[in-house]
Amino acid sequence: MTPDELQSLIDDASYHHAMGQEAQALEKLSIALNSHPESFEAWHTLAEINFSNRNFDKALEAAEKAHAIRPEDLYINTTLSRVWMEKGNKAKAEHFGAQAKIQSWKEQLKEKP
């Protein structure tokens, strides 16, 4: 599978989720992840879809896999913070929220001349 085909599957999964077609969304992500288990974007999309569906254990599992691939990503740290808050672990939620804030600051510093 080419990188463009992978991205197309992820985009299709996001579309199906937005249209309320959860089975199709999860099927597309399953195909993507079976082909490219190292795809940060696919794991993050899976985490967000599961979070949206209030499947917090599955969201956490997918988010942790994405985080292992790209631990300094602002968005996955935000996702992990949100998941941990919903699971009732304020300390972990605050930890990942702080990590997201640090990444945001780093990005802001890169933008300044």
Side-chain angles (χ1 to χ4, degrees):
M1 178 179 305
T2 68
D4 287 341
E5 291 170 329
L6 174 63
Q7 188 59 52
S8 181
L9 280 173
I10 296 167
D11 292 345
D12 287 350
S14 294
Y15 171 78
H16 286 299
H17 171 66
M19 299 305 295
Q21 301 165 340
E22 300 307 317
Q24 293 93 328
L26 296 174
E27 180 183 343
K28 297 283 184 178
L29 289 173
S30 177
I31 293 167
L33 288 165
N34 282 334
S35 177
H36 287 79
E38 74 292 344
S39 173
F40 170 84
E41 291 79 7
W43 285 116
H44 191 219
T45 301
L46 182 59
E48 286 294 328
I49 288 173
N50 279 311
F51 183 86
S52 176
N53 291 330
R54 304 194 58 78
N55 293 325
F56 300 125
D57 290 337
K58 289 181 180 181
L60 178 60
E61 181 182 334
E64 287 177 334
K65 290 185 181 191
H67 187 262
I69 295 166
R70 201 180 295 167
E72 294 187 3
D73 184 83
L74 164 67
Y75 301 108
I76 198 59
N77 280 287
T78 301
T79 298
L80 281 164
S81 178
R82 292 169 45 231
V83 171
W84 280 116
M85 186 57 78
E86 288 293 336
K87 289 181 65 65
N89 190 324
K90 185 178 178 187
K92 284 191 177 190
E94 287 177 347
H95 166 78
F96 286 106
Q99 294 304 308
K101 190 67 170 167
I102 290 167
Q103 295 310 314
S104 174
W105 290 335
K106 285 181 179 181
E107 288 181 21
Q108 288 175 5
L109 289 172
K110 287 179 188 175
E111 294 172 6
K112 294 192 179 193

